[in-house]
Amino acid sequence: MRRALIPGLVSALALAGLASPAGAHPQSDPLLAENALYSTGPIPRSSCAEKPVKRRNHYPTAKAYVTFVAACLDRVWAKQFAKAKLPFRKPKLQLLAKNPVWHCDLKWDKCWTSSYCGDHRTITVVLDRRLLRDPDDLSLFTLTAALYGQHVQRLAGIEKAWVRALPDPADLGYEEDVDDIIRRVLLQAECFGAAFTSSVYGSMPRDRADWAAVVRKRAKERHMGGAENITYWMNQGFASRDLQDCNTWRAENWRVA
């Protein structure tokens, strides 16, 4: 089950099961389809000059890198939330050298490398050999930005709304409908992360080939959907920086498959 790969969403699903969600179609909920963030326009260009991770398997350097990126994310998203007249709160950042035992009230699976927990508003990244054996700065950058995208969804009420939209477990096609919603969640977070990345890309020693390479790498993570659609949503956010172009909730089913 692809949900086993995303512990923060597993926790949300467990709580939803206890709450007996209504199962309304996502497009019918204004927090999903017409969220205030979509009307804020393109994220303005600014600076976030990254500090490269040059050493393999070096936790202190990687921790400093991700902490720096998170500070840029805090600054940029605080301004975007102000434009939407929505309250903003920075997430907690938990950067570890090895797997934790617990996360988001779940036992951490050894295959997980990162997660966002909405209940605790915490981004967790395990900076071990899996991510640092051959350190790729831009991959760490986009991973952090996408996890932060889930925090944005939490603050904007999107998480609460998608949980409310989950079908009843007794409904025909329950598994397929839940997977569809989760893909919309994750693809939107990727798109939000790409919009942020684009907004600061001019300050980074990067070109379009670097972006294309990291998109190809992210597109292999099929728990978010097919490679074509992962590529589409990442490039959508990167091209426009406009959050209305990250509205996966109005997309046709095939575009989030």
Side-chain angles (χ1 to χ4, degrees), residues 203-246:
S203 68
M204 301 162 65
R206 301 285 180 181
D207 56 24
R208 287 304 296 256
D210 292 323
W211 174 250
V214 83
V215 171
R216 285 194 299 272
K217 187 172 182 178
R218 294 290 282 174
K220 295 177 182 178
E221 300 182 21
R222 297 303 175 81
H223 61 279
M224 297 188 290
E228 179 181 348
N229 285 332
I230 297 170
T231 300
Y232 172 84
W233 288 106
M234 289 188 73
N235 284 336
Q236 182 95 328
F238 191 84
S240 73
R241 311 189 320 278
D242 197 325
L243 302 184
Q244 69 177 344
D245 292 331
C246 295

Coordinates of all heavy atoms in Angstrom, one line a residue, residues 203-246:
S203 N 18.9 33.1 -7.4 CA 20.0 33.3 -6.4 C 20.9 32.1 -6.2 O 21.8 32.2 -5.5 CB 19.4 33.8 -5.1 OG 18.7 32.7 -4.5
M204 N 20.5 31.0 -6.9 CA 21.2 29.8 -6.7 C 22.1 29.5 -7.9 O 21.7 29.9 -9.1 CB 20.2 28.6 -6.5 CG 19.3 28.8 -5.3 SD 17.8 27.7 -5.4 CE 18.5 26.1 -5.3
P205 N 23.2 28.9 -7.8 CA 24.1 28.6 -8.9 C 23.6 27.5 -9.7 O 24.2 26.4 -9.8 CB 25.5 28.3 -8.2 CG 25.1 27.7 -6.9 CD 23.8 28.5 -6.5
R206 N 22.4 27.7 -10.3 CA 21.7 26.6 -11.0 C 21.3 27.0 -12.4 O 21.1 28.2 -12.6 CB 20.5 26.1 -10.2 CG 20.8 25.7 -8.8 CD 21.4 24.3 -8.7 NE 21.7 23.9 -7.4 CZ 22.3 22.7 -7.1 NH1 22.6 21.8 -8.1 NH2 22.5 22.3 -5.9
D207 N 21.0 26.0 -13.2 CA 20.4 26.3 -14.5 C 19.2 25.4 -14.7 O 18.9 24.6 -13.9 CB 21.4 26.2 -15.7 CG 22.1 24.8 -15.7 OD1 21.5 23.8 -15.2 OD2 23.2 24.7 -16.3
R208 N 18.6 25.5 -15.9 CA 17.4 24.7 -16.1 C 17.7 23.2 -16.2 O 16.8 22.3 -15.9 CB 16.7 25.1 -17.4 CG 16.0 26.5 -17.4 CD 15.0 26.5 -16.3 NE 13.9 25.6 -16.5 CZ 12.7 25.9 -16.9 NH1 12.4 27.2 -17.2 NH2 11.7 25.0 -17.0
A209 N 18.9 22.8 -16.6 CA 19.3 21.4 -16.7 C 19.3 20.8 -15.2 O 18.9 19.6 -15.1 CB 20.6 21.3 -17.3
D210 N 19.7 21.6 -14.3 CA 19.7 21.1 -12.9 C 18.3 20.8 -12.4 O 18.0 19.8 -11.8 CB 20.3 22.1 -11.9 CG 21.8 22.3 -12.2 OD1 22.5 21.3 -12.5 OD2 22.3 23.4 -12.1
W211 N 17.4 21.7 -12.8 CA 16.0 21.6 -12.4 C 15.4 20.3 -13.1 O 14.7 19.5 -12.5 CB 15.1 22.8 -12.7 CG 13.7 22.6 -12.5 CD1 12.7 22.5 -13.4 CD2 13.0 22.4 -11.2 NE1 11.5 22.2 -12.9 CE2 11.6 22.2 -11.5 CE3 13.5 22.5 -9.9 CZ2 10.7 22.0 -10.5 CZ3 12.5 22.3 -8.9 CH2 11.2 22.1 -9.2
A212 N 15.6 20.2 -14.4 CA 15.1 19.0 -15.1 C 15.6 17.7 -14.5 O 14.9 16.7 -14.4 CB 15.5 19.1 -16.6
A213 N 16.9 17.7 -14.0 CA 17.5 16.5 -13.4 C 16.8 16.2 -12.1 O 16.5 15.0 -11.8 CB 19.0 16.7 -13.2
V214 N 16.5 17.2 -11.3 CA 15.9 16.9 -10.0 C 14.4 16.4 -10.2 O 13.9 15.6 -9.5 CB 16.0 18.1 -9.0 CG1 14.9 19.1 -9.3 CG2 15.9 17.6 -7.6
V215 N 13.7 17.0 -11.2 CA 12.4 16.6 -11.5 C 12.4 15.1 -12.0 O 11.5 14.3 -11.5 CB 11.7 17.4 -12.6 CG1 10.4 16.9 -13.1 CG2 11.5 18.9 -12.1
R216 N 13.3 14.7 -12.8 CA 13.4 13.3 -13.2 C 13.6 12.4 -12.0 O 13.0 11.3 -11.9 CB 14.6 13.1 -14.2 CG 14.3 13.6 -15.6 CD 15.3 13.1 -16.6 NE 16.6 13.5 -16.3 CZ 17.2 14.6 -16.7 NH1 16.5 15.5 -17.5 NH2 18.4 14.9 -16.4
K217 N 14.4 12.8 -11.0 CA 14.6 12.0 -9.8 C 13.4 11.9 -9.0 O 13.0 10.8 -8.5 CB 15.8 12.7 -9.0 CG 16.2 11.9 -7.9 CD 17.5 12.5 -7.2 CE 18.0 11.7 -6.1 NZ 19.3 12.2 -5.5
R218 N 12.7 13.0 -8.8 CA 11.4 13.0 -8.0 C 10.3 12.2 -8.7 O 9.5 11.6 -8.0 CB 11.0 14.5 -7.8 CG 11.8 15.3 -6.9 CD 11.9 14.9 -5.5 NE 10.7 15.4 -4.7 CZ 10.5 15.0 -3.4 NH1 11.3 14.2 -2.8 NH2 9.4 15.5 -2.8
A219 N 10.3 12.2 -10.0 CA 9.3 11.5 -10.8 C 9.4 10.0 -10.6 O 8.4 9.3 -10.9 CB 9.4 11.9 -12.2
K220 N 10.5 9.5 -10.0 CA 10.6 8.1 -9.8 C 9.9 7.6 -8.5 O 9.7 6.4 -8.2 CB 12.1 7.7 -9.7 CG 12.8 7.9 -11.0 CD 14.3 7.5 -10.9 CE 15.0 7.7 -12.2 NZ 16.5 7.5 -12.0
E221 N 9.4 8.6 -7.7 CA 8.8 8.3 -6.4 C 7.3 8.1 -6.7 O 6.5 9.0 -6.5 CB 9.1 9.4 -5.4 CG 10.6 9.6 -5.1 CD 10.9 10.7 -4.1 OE1 10.0 11.0 -3.3 OE2 12.0 11.2 -4.1
R222 N 7.0 6.9 -7.1 CA 5.6 6.6 -7.7 C 4.5 6.6 -6.7 O 3.4 6.5 -7.1 CB 5.7 5.3 -8.5 CG 6.7 5.3 -9.7 CD 6.3 6.5 -10.6 NE 7.3 6.6 -11.7 CZ 7.3 5.8 -12.8 NH1 6.4 4.9 -13.0 NH2 8.2 6.0 -13.7
H223 N 4.8 6.7 -5.4 CA 3.7 6.8 -4.4 C 2.9 8.1 -4.6 O 1.8 8.3 -4.1 CB 4.2 6.8 -3.0 CG 5.1 7.9 -2.6 ND1 6.5 7.8 -2.9 CD2 4.9 9.0 -1.9 CE1 7.1 8.9 -2.5 NE2 6.2 9.7 -1.9
M224 N 3.5 9.1 -5.4 CA 2.8 10.3 -5.7 C 2.0 10.3 -7.0 O 1.2 11.2 -7.3 CB 3.8 11.5 -5.8 CG 4.5 11.8 -4.5 SD 5.5 13.3 -4.6 CE 6.8 12.8 -5.7
G225 N 2.1 9.2 -7.7 CA 1.5 9.1 -9.0 C 2.4 8.7 -10.1 O 3.6 8.3 -9.8
G226 N 2.0 8.8 -11.4 CA 2.9 8.4 -12.5 C 3.9 9.5 -12.7 O 3.7 10.7 -12.4
A227 N 5.0 9.1 -13.4 CA 6.1 10.0 -13.6 C 5.6 11.3 -14.4 O 6.1 12.4 -14.2 CB 7.2 9.3 -14.4
E228 N 4.7 11.0 -15.4 CA 4.3 12.2 -16.2 C 3.6 13.2 -15.4 O 3.8 14.4 -15.6 CB 3.4 11.6 -17.3 CG 2.8 12.7 -18.2 CD 1.9 12.2 -19.3 OE1 1.8 11.0 -19.5 OE2 1.2 13.1 -19.9
N229 N 2.8 12.8 -14.5 CA 2.0 13.7 -13.7 C 2.8 14.4 -12.6 O 2.6 15.6 -12.3 CB 0.8 13.1 -13.1 CG -0.3 12.9 -14.1 OD1 -0.4 13.6 -15.1 ND2 -1.1 11.8 -13.9
I230 N 3.8 13.6 -12.0 CA 4.7 14.3 -11.0 C 5.5 15.4 -11.8 O 5.6 16.5 -11.3 CB 5.7 13.2 -10.4 CG1 4.9 12.2 -9.6 CG2 6.7 13.9 -9.5 CD1 5.7 11.0 -9.2
T231 N 6.0 15.1 -13.0 CA 6.7 16.0 -13.8 C 5.8 17.2 -14.1 O 6.2 18.4 -14.0 CB 7.2 15.4 -15.1 OG1 8.0 14.3 -14.7 CG2 7.9 16.4 -15.9
Y232 N 4.6 17.0 -14.4 CA 3.6 18.1 -14.8 C 3.5 19.0 -13.6 O 3.6 20.3 -13.8 CB 2.3 17.5 -15.2 CG 1.2 18.5 -15.4 CD1 1.1 19.2 -16.6 CD2 0.3 18.9 -14.4 CE1 0.1 20.2 -16.8 CE2 -0.6 19.8 -14.5 CZ -0.7 20.5 -15.7 OH -1.7 21.5 -15.9
W233 N 3.1 18.5 -12.4 CA 2.8 19.4 -11.3 C 4.1 20.2 -10.8 O 4.0 21.3 -10.4 CB 2.2 18.7 -10.2 CG 0.8 18.3 -10.6 CD1 0.3 17.0 -10.9 CD2 -0.4 19.2 -10.7 NE1 -1.0 17.1 -11.2 CE2 -1.5 18.4 -11.1 CE3 -0.6 20.5 -10.5 CZ2 -2.8 18.9 -11.3 CZ3 -1.8 21.1 -10.6 CH2 -2.9 20.3 -11.1
M234 N 5.2 19.5 -10.8 CA 6.5 20.2 -10.4 C 6.8 21.3 -11.4 O 7.1 22.5 -11.0 CB 7.6 19.2 -10.3 CG 7.5 18.3 -9.2 SD 9.0 17.3 -8.9 CE 10.1 18.5 -8.3
N235 N 6.7 21.0 -12.7 CA 7.0 22.1 -13.7 C 5.9 23.2 -13.7 O 6.2 24.3 -14.0 CB 7.1 21.4 -15.1 CG 8.4 20.7 -15.3 OD1 9.4 21.0 -14.6 ND2 8.5 19.7 -16.2
Q236 N 4.7 22.8 -13.4 CA 3.6 23.8 -13.3 C 3.9 24.8 -12.3 O 3.8 26.0 -12.5 CB 2.3 23.1 -13.0 CG 1.1 24.0 -12.9 CD 0.3 24.0 -14.2 OE1 0.9 23.8 -15.3 NE2 -1.0 24.2 -14.1
G237 N 4.3 24.4 -11.1 CA 4.7 25.3 -10.0 C 5.9 26.1 -10.3 O 6.0 27.3 -10.1
F238 N 6.9 25.5 -10.9 CA 8.2 26.1 -11.2 C 8.0 27.2 -12.3 O 8.6 28.2 -12.2 CB 9.2 25.1 -11.7 CG 10.6 25.6 -11.7 CD1 11.4 25.6 -10.6 CD2 11.1 26.0 -12.9 CE1 12.7 26.1 -10.7 CE2 12.4 26.5 -13.0 CZ 13.2 26.6 -11.9
A239 N 7.2 26.9 -13.3 CA 7.0 27.8 -14.4 C 6.3 29.1 -14.0 O 6.7 30.2 -14.5 CB 6.3 27.1 -15.6
S240 N 5.3 29.0 -13.2 CA 4.5 30.2 -12.9 C 4.7 30.8 -11.5 O 4.4 32.0 -11.3 CB 3.0 29.9 -13.1 OG 2.5 29.0 -12.0
R241 N 5.1 30.0 -10.5 CA 5.2 30.4 -9.1 C 3.9 30.8 -8.6 O 3.8 31.4 -7.5 CB 6.2 31.6 -9.0 CG 7.6 31.4 -9.6 CD 8.6 32.5 -9.2 NE 8.0 33.8 -9.1 CZ 7.8 34.7 -10.2 NH1 8.2 34.3 -11.4 NH2 7.3 35.9 -10.0
D242 N 2.8 30.6 -9.3 CA 1.4 31.0 -8.9 C 0.7 29.8 -8.3 O 0.5 28.8 -8.9 CB 0.7 31.5 -10.2 CG -0.5 32.3 -9.8 OD1 -1.2 32.0 -8.8 OD2 -0.8 33.3 -10.5
L243 N 0.3 30.0 -7.1 CA -0.3 28.9 -6.3 C -1.7 28.4 -6.9 O -2.1 27.3 -6.7 CB -0.5 29.3 -4.8 CG 0.8 29.7 -4.1 CD1 0.5 30.0 -2.7 CD2 1.9 28.6 -4.3
Q244 N -2.3 29.2 -7.7 CA -3.6 28.8 -8.3 C -3.3 27.7 -9.3 O -4.1 26.9 -9.7 CB -4.3 29.9 -9.0 CG -3.6 30.5 -10.2 CD -4.5 31.6 -10.8 OE1 -5.7 31.8 -10.5 NE2 -3.9 32.5 -11.7
D245 N -2.1 27.7 -9.8 CA -1.7 26.6 -10.8 C -1.3 25.3 -10.1 O -1.0 24.3 -10.8 CB -0.5 27.1 -11.7 CG -0.9 28.2 -12.6 OD1 -2.1 28.3 -13.0 OD2 0.0 29.1 -12.9
C246 N -1.4 25.3 -8.8 CA -1.2 24.1 -8.0 C -2.5 23.5 -7.4 O -2.4 22.7 -6.5 CB -0.2 24.4 -6.8 SG 1.5 24.9 -7.3

